[in-house]
């Protein structure tokens, strides 16, 4: 019989992996409709990365409003790193399948900048970095995740527009876009909230 600690660890691991895998399956079956093609997998990984990053960034602000969500904070590091790795896969697929794409176009550039920021955040998401950097600097680096999110939203918008008009045909894509914007709005609202003494 497993001890309480072992059960807790197993539960945490299940939640760590369950959220990214569950989101992947959600997009694969309800956005891609089970199709495997270069364009579908590029979109799948992009939507997965931005949604997982959004969940990661929403946990902190939401736990201030709903204290019951506080335990989810322990999963932010795993989900955040996973979102970076998935975004990296997304970028790699774009480079492989869209060789003629311009890396200096606004849409691609915003995606690259988001990836660079997430790389820096990921590289400092450990105890070693925390001891080397001052707490203020470390926190500032981690908060740049929201800038990465804003750049990811910009990337999404610029890549999905046709003739200057945003066109997201599939409902799940529309929900993802709105969710990403709401995460940024939520963070701004939390910053405006008075600090509890």
């Amino acid at each position: 019989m497993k001890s309480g600690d072992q059960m807790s660890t197993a539960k945490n691991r299940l939640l760590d992996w369950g959220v990214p895998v569950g989101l992947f399956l959600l997009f694969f079956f309800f956005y891609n409709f089970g199709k495997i093609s270069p364009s579908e997998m590029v979109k799948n990984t992009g939507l997965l990365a931005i949604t997982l990053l959004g969940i990661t960034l929403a946990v902190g602000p939401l736990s201030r409003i709903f204290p019951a969500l506080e335990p989810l904070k322990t999963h932010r590091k795993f989900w955040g790193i996973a979102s970076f790795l998935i975004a990296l896969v997304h970028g790699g697929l774009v480079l492989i399948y869209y060789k003629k794409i311009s890396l200096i176009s606004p849409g691609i550039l915003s995606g690259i900048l988001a990836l660079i920021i997430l790389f820096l955040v990921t590289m400092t998401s450990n105890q070693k970095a925390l001891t080397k950097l001052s707490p203020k600097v470390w926190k500032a680096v981690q908060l740049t995740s929201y800038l990465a999110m804003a750049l990811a939203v910009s990337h999404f918008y610029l890549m999905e527009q046709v003739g200057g008009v945003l066109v997201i045909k599939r409902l799940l894509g529309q929900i993802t876009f709105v969710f990403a914007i709401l995460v940024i709005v939520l963070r701004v609202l939390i910053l405006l909230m008075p600090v509890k003494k």
Side-chain angles (χ1 to χ4, degrees):
M1 189 173 178
K2 289 186 177 180
S3 67
D5 286 345
Q6 287 175 319
M7 289 292 286
S8 179
T9 301
K11 183 181 176 182
N12 284 336
R13 285 284 166 249
L14 182 63
L15 201 52
D16 279 344
W17 287 98
V19 170
V21 171
L23 286 172
F24 173 80
L25 294 174
L26 175 70
F27 288 118
F28 183 69
F29 289 110
F30 297 100
Y31 184 87
N32 296 352
F33 304 111
K35 296 177 183 176
I36 298 177
S37 69
S39 64
E40 293 296 337
M41 293 318 291
V42 164
K43 288 184 178 182
N44 188 306
T45 52
L47 291 169
L48 176 56
I50 199 170
T51 304
L52 192 55
L53 178 61
I55 291 171
T56 304
L57 297 179
V59 167
L62 283 175
S63 65
R64 282 188 61 181
I65 303 169
F66 307 106
L69 297 177
E70 191 78 21
L72 291 179
K73 283 185 175 182
T74 59
H75 303 282
R76 289 186 300 181
K77 180 179 176 180
F78 187 94
W79 293 340
I81 293 172
S83 69
F84 164 69
L85 294 175
I86 294 162
L88 202 58
V89 170
H90 173 70
L93 290 173
V94 169
L95 290 175
I96 291 168
Y97 294 112
Y98 300 96
K99 298 184 188 298
K100 293 182 180 180
I101 203 161
S102 172
L103 295 178
I104 58 170
S105 67
I108 296 297
L109 203 52
S110 58
I112 291 171
L113 289 173
L115 202 53
I116 290 170
I117 292 170
L118 289 177
F119 172 76
L120 294 173
V121 172
T122 300
M123 289 299 101
T124 56
S125 296
N126 56 67
Q127 191 60 41
K128 188 176 180 181
L130 184 56
T131 54
K132 286 191 173 184
L133 300 171
S134 71
K136 283 186 177 180
V137 171
W138 184 85
K139 187 174 182 180
V141 172
Q142 296 301 305
L143 285 175
T144 59
S145 299
Y146 289 95
L147 175 57
M149 187 62 163
L151 286 165
V153 169
S154 173
H155 169 71
F156 193 161
Y157 174 80
L158 292 168
M159 297 308 294
E160 291 296 320
Q161 63 172 294
V162 178
V165 178
L166 180 64
V167 179
I168 306 174
K169 295 179 180 178
R170 301 178 195 177
L171 179 61
L172 201 50
Q174 295 169 4
I175 292 170
T176 301
F177 186 73
V178 172
F179 169 69
I181 292 173
L182 287 176
V183 169
I184 298 169
V185 171
L186 176 64
R187 180 61 193 177
V188 172
L189 291 175
I190 289 296
L191 286 173
L192 296 175
M193 281 178 64
V195 179
K196 291 181 181 180
K197 294 183 180 180

